[in-house]
Amino acid sequence: MNRGLLFWTILFMLTVAGSSAQQQLKGHTRAKTNGAPIPDVYVMLMSADGRRILSYDYSRDDGAFTLDLPSDGAPEYVVSTSRLGFEALRQSVRRDAGTVELRLQETSVKLREVKVEAAPMRRRGDTLTYFMSNFSRPQDKTLAEVLERMPGIEVRSDGLVKYDGRPINRFYIEDLNLLGNRYSLATKNLSPADIASVQVYENHEPIKMMRGRTDPDEAALNIRLKSGSRAKWLLTGDFGLGGFPMLYDATVTPARFARRNQTLIVAKANNTGRDIAMELRIHSMGATVFNPATLEGIPDQLSPLTMTSAFFVRDRARFNRSAIASVNQLWRLADDVDLRLNLNYGYERESRSRSVETEYRLGNGQTYIVGDYTSQIVRRHQLEGEWTLTANRTRYFLENKLSAEIHWKDARADVAAGGRQMQQQMNLPRTLIKNHLKLSRLIGRVAFGFGNETEFIRMPQWLTVSSQDSIPLFRQLFVRQSIRYEAGSNDSYLTLNFHSGAHTLDLKTGFAWKGQAVRSALQPQPEGVEGPYTNDLRWRLWQLYAVPAYRFVYGACSLTSSAMLEQRQTTYAGHTDRDLQIHPAIRFSYEPSAVFKSSASWKRTIRRGDLDNRLTGYVMKRYNLLTRGTDREERNVSDMLSLDLSVKDLSHFFNLSYMTYFSRHQGNLISAYLIRDFYTFSWLRPFDQRSTYWAHTLSATRLLTRLSLTAGLQITYARNASTLEQQGATIDYTDHSFTLSPSLKWNARRNLNFDYVASLSYTGVSIDRSAVDRYIPFLDHRLYTYWGLTPRLSLTTTLQHYYTQAPDISATNLFFADLGLRFSFPHMTVSLDWTNLLNRRTYVVTGYNAINTYTRTDRLRPSEFLISFRFKR
């Protein structure tokens, strides 16, 4: 760091430290009769007319609370309180008061013999609280199981949490951000017995100084613990053994959540097929609902054979040995200043066997069939660490994340294809180092900021294929592909935010640099296929950009518009291009109340490809797949239009939402394929390609409190039209899909509950604008039942059925049955789980892959039992 930047940084921090205290109102809630502190009082700071909630807090055990003062400069506000057993209080307070004491009068109502039932949910301002006691069940082991039953909250199979159809933008535990983007470590391991409620902060802006100055559309989740679970060590342990073959499953989760520090440690190991490595997944935070991309980074340059099964049988088709360890620690150094350490390690050894037969339908009506059988073992090691310092105050924001990742993956496979036996070995290491810095300061009505993002990645990877006979296309017994990929980037920028009344102006401007280099060699060279067969490529980007934005708020309406302007210079494959690009976007939202809200948006994006997956020359991705890029830089133009409508009636616990999304894509390159023997060649060639995607989704949930029943329904229609070239013919294809997903979750009695979920879809492909010949049905439904036979003994059953039928292939019916017995002691639960009772040893599925029909056969796990012991303290 040069001296000038160091001087301004120190000056910035000194200025910040001297001016943040006056922007908060602190106080205590006490009983009017004896002055005793009153905890858990909901305290709201409201505008002088009492119509708008500006900030809020809950009083702590000593009655203390802190309210953030807005930057509107108003001289006077109203403080309002709410707590069961005390009269509501409304008291005027001046902005410069600094502190306030609220004296609450106790109140009581004499009732006749009545039955009082607590509401399962409560709304106060933008905070919606779900009380765990109304949604949890005796058999629940994790928070995720309870979240799935809360109306409006969705937990995807990969652990991503959505609210009102959008990924959440923060996950807090007692209002502290312990886990960052890896919140599955909490949802999959925290016990519901320790949690009092789940709060949803709607329209949540994570940066305090920007609240009221931005227009967020995503929500945050906050986990509130029971008073007896705070500031004490919580320990949960599961240990299980079984067969056949030998099975083991172990988990230890110590945790402690206090006001000034939090600790969560997770250690797991199993070979039951359950994917515990997914708990280390990095979830997107606040991404658009239609593109919930994960932050896994640049893909490997080589890839093991595709072994992924459908999620509903994924764990039943995995033969694994897995272990993860995660250490997460947060220290609160001062008010709103946190230091966080996250260390994660994961290991997995996964074996699968699979046979795939793909029928390629060509434009001239001919067909080409490629098949293979693969037995594969993949080993993965990943070690990741992150230090994060955050100061999140009402006048300034500071965050610095320094992280490093070391991944190692190797894959070995025995392959039978075309009457030949081959062996494949692949090594895929990677190293990633990155640092992200953000500084912001609020001076009057203007927020100034500075940021820098720096990353470096290195991936030296290689692939070898060997055979007893000569390998087709190479005429050799041994083929080796080596690739070394390196990339670095730096983005430095300044931000400005001006807010006055209904108007907000934003500006982000900066300079970015990015470089990538790929070197590869393929030995020996293929015969009869046009080269080149080596890569020595460099891609460079210099970018000067500015992103102005304007937001106008009028009552319940808000209009936001922005335009990213960038001057780019890229060097790719020896060619240098310079251009000026503009990316406009506009969004309109209407939210007259907490019951109804709607939004519509449009944006245009121009993207140029880099070396991540646009290589020049051949790269042998697998034993049967060779890819070649193009000398021309990729250029894609996308127009995206979306419309969201949602209705939330808390008095009847009803949610209804409708989303539609339309995108139009224009590119200068087209994907092309050539099939030869059991090889598939893919490349990009110049072509003015156009494609469209249109999706409609209607979702509804209803909680029937008298029946203790939550009913849900989701209906989706999607249409995807695009073009590709195959075997020299250009083919237009359109994919149509209809999906119906009902769900019923019913607590019939305290000792009896049912869950039924289903997904029924029809998928068909239209080639060259012809009518769809036939729609392929996919049905997957599951019934889960819990019986509490005695206060200590319970029985669970799971029945699952899958059905599909593709053209000219017999229908696939697959049945699964699981049985569980549980006996509970005061501090221990003993379980016997018997899984895969009715399954077959193989699973066959047929579906469409672009314009091709594929049939995949996976080996499934046999019937197995597991005896486990769960300890909870």
Side-chain angles (χ1 to χ4, degrees):
M1 179 181 295
N2 58 48
R3 294 182 178 179
L5 180 59
L6 180 61
F7 170 78
W8 286 110
T9 302
I10 294 174
L11 181 62
F12 173 86
M13 297 300 294
L14 292 175
T15 304
V16 161
S19 60
S20 61
Q22 296 181 358
Q23 300 303 316
Q24 290 183 335
L25 177 67
K26 298 185 178 181
H28 288 79
T29 54
R30 302 186 184 279
K32 192 172 184 179
T33 54
N34 56 13
I38 306 173
D40 298 323
V41 178
Y42 182 56
V43 185
M44 295 165 283
L45 181 73
M46 309 182 73
S47 57
D49 57 9
R51 296 181 179 180
R52 293 183 296 125
I53 299 177
L54 305 177
S55 64
Y56 61 88
D57 193 14
Y58 285 86
S59 62
R60 294 177 278 279
D61 292 340
D62 60 354
F65 64 88
T66 302
L67 297 173
D68 295 329
L69 296 177
S71 58
D72 56 5
E76 189 171 287
Y77 302 99
V78 171
V79 176
S80 177
T81 66
S82 175
R83 192 191 190 283
L84 187 65
F86 293 86
E87 293 181 357
L89 174 68
R90 293 174 68 91
Q91 181 173 319
S92 297
V93 61
R94 292 191 56 80
R95 182 184 182 87
D96 55 3
T99 61
V100 64
E101 184 174 288
L102 305 178
R103 293 275 182 163
L104 306 185
Q105 178 67 50
E106 294 185 62
T107 182
S108 60
V109 178
K110 186 175 181 180
L111 301 176
R112 297 180 180 179
E113 293 184 7
V114 295
K115 181 180 180 181
V116 179
E117 295 183 356
M121 295 181 289
R122 179 187 66 189
R123 173 181 290 280
R124 286 180 175 173
D126 282 344
T127 301
L128 181 63
T129 302
Y130 297 82
F131 297 102
M132 291 288 288
S133 59
N134 293 278
F135 297 96
S136 62
R137 294 172 173 176
Q139 70 272 26
D140 290 333
K141 292 184 177 181
T142 66
L143 170 61
E145 297 175 77
V146 187
L147 289 176
E148 292 174 347
R149 290 192 290 273
M150 294 180 174
I153 297 178
E154 175 189 353
V155 182
R156 287 198 333 186
S157 53
D158 63 353
L160 180 75
V161 177
K162 295 182 179 182
Y163 177 75
D164 277 352
R166 292 177 176 81
I168 59 174
N169 62 13
R170 283 295 185 276
F171 184 93
Y172 301 112
I173 302 175
E174 292 291 326
D175 285 316
L176 295 180
N177 184 16
L178 171 65
L179 300 171
N181 292 26
R182 288 189 170 94
Y183 55 77
S184 284
L185 288 165
T187 60
K188 296 291 187 181
N189 295 287
L190 291 184
S191 172
D194 298 320
I195 300 173
S197 62
V198 175
Q199 293 180 318
V200 176
Y201 299 153
E202 296 181 338
N203 305 318
H204 179 66
E205 170 55 65
I207 301 177
K208 290 184 177 180
M209 61 169 280
M210 299 303 293
R211 291 174 184 172
R213 311 174 69 90
T214 61
D215 187 22
D217 202 29
E218 299 86 24
L221 254 61
N222 180 45
I223 308 304
R224 289 285 182 185
L225 301 176
K226 295 179 179 178
S227 58
S229 300
R230 298 171 186 163
K232 61 178 292 187
W233 280 102
L234 309 173
L235 179 63
T236 304
D238 291 273
F239 305 92
L241 291 173
F244 297 100
M246 179 68 177
L247 296 179
Y248 61 87
D249 191 355
T251 300
V252 178
T253 308
R256 185 177 184 272
F257 304 104
R259 289 181 184 173
R260 310 299 297 183
N261 62 80
Q262 292 187 349
T263 305
L264 175 63
I265 302 173
V266 178
K268 291 189 173 187
N270 79 14
N271 69 342
T272 62
R274 186 164 53 90
D275 190 357
I276 56 177
M278 195 169 289
E279 297 178 18
L280 300 179
R281 189 179 184 91
I282 300 175
H283 298 301
S284 61
M285 301 292 261
T288 60
V289 62
F290 307 104
N291 184 26
T294 56
L295 309 178
E296 298 297 338
I298 297 173
D300 289 320
Q301 299 302 295
L302 303 168
S303 55
L305 297 167
T306 303
M307 303 294 287
T308 304
S309 297
F311 263 107
F312 82 95
V313 294
R314 188 171 188 271
D315 291 350
R316 301 181 189 268
R318 295 178 72 249
F319 294 81
N320 70 303
R321 292 204 297 266
S322 305
I324 64 171
S326 179
V327 179
N328 306 275
Q329 178 68 48
L330 182 144
W331 298 272
R332 173 136 286 189
L333 306 180
D335 289 343
D336 301 320
V337 179
D338 300 329
L339 179 63
R340 190 178 80 216
L341 172 65
N342 303 101
L343 294 175
N344 299 287
Y345 170 76
Y347 166 76
E348 184 166 40
R349 179 188 184 276
E350 181 179 350
S351 62
R352 286 179 179 268
S353 61
R354 177 215 67 177
S355 63
V356 172
E357 183 178 276
T358 305
E359 178 185 1
Y360 295 89
R361 293 185 285 174
L362 310 181
N364 57 9
Q366 295 180 344
T367 60
Y368 201 102
I369 297 177
V370 176
D372 68 67
Y373 171 82
T374 301
S375 177
Q376 175 180 268
I377 295 177
V378 179
R379 296 180 180 86
R380 302 180 183 89
H381 296 267
Q382 62 184 79
L383 178 62
E384 301 167 343
E386 181 177 273
W387 275 101
T388 305
L389 174 64
T390 304
N392 190 8
R393 294 187 169 179
T394 56
R395 302 297 296 177
Y396 73 91
F397 176 78
L398 164 67
E399 183 175 74
N400 191 85
K401 293 183 181 180
L402 174 62
S403 60
E405 303 175 7
I406 300 175
H407 291 195
W408 184 276
K409 182 192 302 182
D410 65 83
R412 291 172 175 81
D414 293 319
V415 183
R420 295 175 174 85
Q421 300 291 326
M422 292 173 290
Q423 291 75 45
Q424 174 181 281
Q425 181 174 341
M426 195 176 293
N427 294 277
L428 307 169
R430 77 163 60 202
T431 302
L432 173 65
I433 300 175
K434 55 186 177 182
N435 187 78
H436 291 183
L437 170 67
K438 292 182 180 179
L439 290 168
S440 299
R441 178 74 167 89
L442 185 62
I443 302 176
R445 295 181 177 181
V446 182
F448 300 92
F450 166 77
N452 178 268
E453 299 181 5
T454 303
E455 297 188 12
F456 174 76
I457 186 171
R458 185 174 184 269
M459 297 189 300
Q461 304 182 341
W462 58 92
L463 160 71
T464 60
V465 179
S466 60
S467 176
Q468 298 297 323
D469 302 321
S470 62
I471 300 175
L473 191 69
F474 295 92
R475 310 303 179 191
Q476 299 283 339
L477 304 180
F478 182 86
V479 178
R480 178 180 174 86
Q481 170 86 58
S482 63
I483 298 181
R484 187 172 67 180
Y485 176 95
E486 294 178 346
S489 65
N490 182 278
D491 182 9
S492 299
Y493 56 87
L494 299 173
T495 61
L496 181 147
N497 175 279
F498 172 77
H499 177 71
S500 177
H503 307 277
T504 303
L505 293 174
D506 283 284
L507 176 65
K508 179 180 180 181
T509 181
F511 175 78
W513 172 89
K514 185 175 182 180
Q516 298 174 338
V518 173
R519 299 175 181 87
S520 73
L522 177 61
Q523 296 292 334
Q525 297 184 358
E527 296 182 358
V529 181
E530 181 182 356
Y533 309 108
T534 61
N535 295 305
D536 189 0
L537 300 176
R538 286 173 173 80
W539 178 81
R540 296 290 184 270
L541 165 68
W542 290 266
Q543 181 185 27
L544 182 65
Y545 63 89
V547 188
Y550 169 72
R551 183 167 70 97
F552 175 72
V553 179
Y554 181 77
C557 301
S558 67
L559 179 67
T560 304
S561 60
S562 65
M564 179 177 181
L565 297 88
E566 56 176 349
Q567 177 66 48
R568 299 168 52 99
Q569 176 179 310
T570 58
T571 303
Y572 174 72
H575 303 288
T576 299
D577 293 314
R578 298 178 181 86
D579 61 349
L580 175 66
Q581 297 179 357
I582 302 177
H583 311 264
I586 188 169
R587 179 175 178 267
F588 175 79
S589 63
Y590 176 64
E591 190 172 354
S593 66
V595 175
F596 175 79
K597 66 178 180 179
S598 63
S599 66
S601 64
W602 169 81
K603 67 177 180 179
R604 164 166 284 201
T605 304
I606 302 175
R607 186 182 65 85
R608 290 185 176 271
D610 49 27
L611 295 189
D612 289 351
N613 51 14
R614 304 301 178 202
L615 306 182
T616 299
Y618 279 106
V619 174
M620 190 176 183
K621 292 277 188 177
R622 301 193 297 261
Y623 77 93
N624 65 338
L625 175 61
L626 287 88
T627 64
R628 185 180 68 182
T630 178
D631 290 335
R632 176 177 297 188
E633 190 176 35
E634 182 187 27
R635 184 178 187 272
N636 296 314
V637 180
S638 299
D639 291 278
M640 289 165 282
L641 178 66
S642 64
L643 172 66
D644 302 346
L645 302 171
S646 67
V647 177
K648 191 187 308 291
D649 185 356
L650 286 185
S651 62
H652 296 87
F653 308 107
F654 174 72
N655 288 357
L656 177 68
S657 65
Y658 168 74
M659 300 182 182
T660 182
Y661 172 77
F662 174 81
S663 70
R664 182 178 59 187
H665 171 87
Q666 302 176 58
N668 63 331
L669 302 174
I670 185 175
S671 299
Y673 300 92
L674 175 70
I675 300 94
R676 175 176 168 181
D677 295 327
F678 50 78
Y679 291 98
T680 301
F681 300 89
S682 65
W683 68 94
L684 296 168
R685 72 174 182 86
F687 185 85
D688 291 333
Q689 182 188 22
R690 289 176 172 81
S691 62
T692 59
Y693 178 78
W694 197 352
H696 305 266
T697 302
L698 178 66
S699 302
T701 58
R702 172 71 189 276
L703 173 62
L704 304 171
T705 54
R706 293 183 178 274
L707 298 178
S708 296
L709 172 68
T710 301
L713 177 65
Q714 180 170 295
I715 304 172
T716 301
Y717 166 72
R719 179 182 182 274
N720 185 13
S722 188
T723 305
L724 61 81
E725 182 186 274
Q726 186 165 284
Q727 211 76 2
T730 301
I731 304 171
D732 295 319
Y733 72 92
T734 304
D735 181 87
H736 303 266
S737 63
F738 305 85
T739 304
L740 181 68
S741 302
S743 65
L744 293 172
K745 299 177 181 181
W746 182 30
N747 293 344
R749 295 195 298 270
R750 177 65 180 172
N751 65 334
L752 179 63
N753 52 65
F754 304 91
D755 284 349
Y756 176 78
V757 293
S759 177
L760 172 62
S761 64
Y762 287 88
T763 302
V765 172
S766 169
I767 300 176
D768 292 332
R769 298 179 178 84
S770 63
V772 177
D773 293 336
R774 183 175 180 181
Y775 285 92
I776 295 181
F778 295 91
L779 172 63
D780 174 27
H781 54 147
R782 178 177 64 89
L783 175 64
Y784 168 85
T785 307
Y786 166 85
W787 286 283
L789 304 178
T790 70
R792 294 184 178 271
L793 181 64
S794 62
L795 172 70
T796 61
T797 61
T798 301
L799 300 176
Q800 188 173 11
H801 171 230
Y802 174 79
Y803 169 83
T804 183
Q805 184 172 14
D808 304 322
I809 296 178
S810 59
T812 298
N813 276 293
L814 199 60
F815 294 90
F816 295 100
D818 301 330
L819 180 66
L821 281 172
R822 286 168 177 77
F823 193 84
S824 300
F825 295 95
H827 298 287
M828 182 179 68
T829 301
V830 181
S831 303
L832 170 62
D833 293 289
W834 194 359
T835 58
N836 304 327
L837 296 179
L838 303 178
N839 77 312
R840 299 180 298 197
R841 294 301 181 92
T842 59
Y843 157 62
V844 181
V845 62
T846 302
Y848 284 119
N849 180 3
I851 64 168
N852 310 316
T853 300
Y854 68 92
T855 302
R856 184 179 66 223
T857 303
D858 289 310
R859 181 168 64 99
L860 298 177
R861 300 181 68 96
S863 297
E864 299 167 332
F865 73 92
L866 186 74
I867 300 176
S868 58
F869 301 86
R870 181 178 180 86
F871 302 89
K872 178 71 179 72
R873 191 189 71 176

